[in-house]
Amino acid sequence: MTLDDLTAREAIRQLRIDYSTAFDTMDEAVVRRNCAEDIVCEYPMAFGGVYEGVEAVLGLFRDNWRHCRAPLETLHYIANHSIELTAPDSARGHCLLLDLVTRQHEGSAIATQGGEVNPLLLIGRYDDVYVRQGGQWKFARIALTMLWPTRSD
């Protein structure tokens, strides 16, 4: 593995962290910056299914953010990130997701089965495709598979 390979892998790892943090902090600019214009997001049907293009993804995120009263009411923890460089400007990877809801509001669409005493919303796995555009790594595809409380595979 070369220094360029290690640098690319670390940039992709940071991309995944930035994506999760941007969702949790409701930072639309960071989401936009980290997604290719023609991104395809494949979410379980409970989250709307397939979204094509960054504007469609942002529309989904805005719909979710309307249920949050402040940033960090959701927390997306990622772990076990594995990255495979497939070409100088492309890669694929996968990681595990723990999705928590720190504050739950009456009538909100974002609520856990356990309510306030158990903030765990879901356990999942992201399968991603990354592209480097203009020197910056971006998401070309994100596929989320739910593993708990129900499986979407």
Side-chain angles (χ1 to χ4, degrees):
M1 190 171 300
T2 67
L3 181 58
D4 285 343
D5 291 346
L6 291 171
T7 301
R9 289 167 58 94
E10 187 56 29
I12 292 167
R13 200 173 325 280
Q14 189 62 49
L15 173 69
R16 173 43 75 193
I17 292 167
D18 291 347
Y19 172 89
S20 295
T21 302
F23 185 92
D24 296 338
T25 58
M26 301 185 283
D27 191 333
E28 187 172 317
V30 172
V31 173
R32 182 183 301 282
R33 182 173 62 241
N34 288 325
C35 294
E37 283 295 320
D38 60 349
I39 187 173
V40 175
C41 289
E42 301 170 31
Y43 297 116
M45 288 310 298
F47 298 101
V50 178
Y51 294 82
E52 296 184 16
V54 69
E55 289 303 323
V57 172
L58 284 169
L60 168 68
F61 285 12
R62 287 183 204 112
D63 287 345
N64 278 279
W65 292 336
R66 277 199 296 270
H67 298 286
C68 297
R69 295 182 183 163
L72 301 175
E73 288 191 1
T74 62
L75 298 175
H76 291 75
Y77 290 97
I78 54 169
N80 299 358
H81 197 181
S82 178
I83 301 164
E84 176 189 357
L85 301 174
T86 56
D89 293 323
S90 64
R92 64 177 164 239
H94 58 84
C95 62
L96 299 177
L97 165 69
L98 294 177
D99 192 357
L100 305 177
V101 181
T102 61
R103 291 187 201 149
Q104 299 180 45
H105 310 289
E106 180 111 9
S108 175
I110 302 175
T112 67
Q113 290 182 346
E116 290 288 333
V117 297
N118 181 2
L120 183 60
L121 180 65
L122 68 90
I123 299 171
R125 174 181 155 136
Y126 283 118
D127 288 281
D128 302 323
V129 175
Y130 316 101
V131 293
R132 185 164 34 194
Q133 298 176 335
Q136 179 187 348
W137 286 97
K138 297 182 177 207
F139 289 100
R141 178 180 166 273
I142 297 172
L144 174 61
T145 301
M146 282 182 51
L147 304 174
W148 183 91
T150 57
R151 293 186 75 95
S152 62
D153 56 349

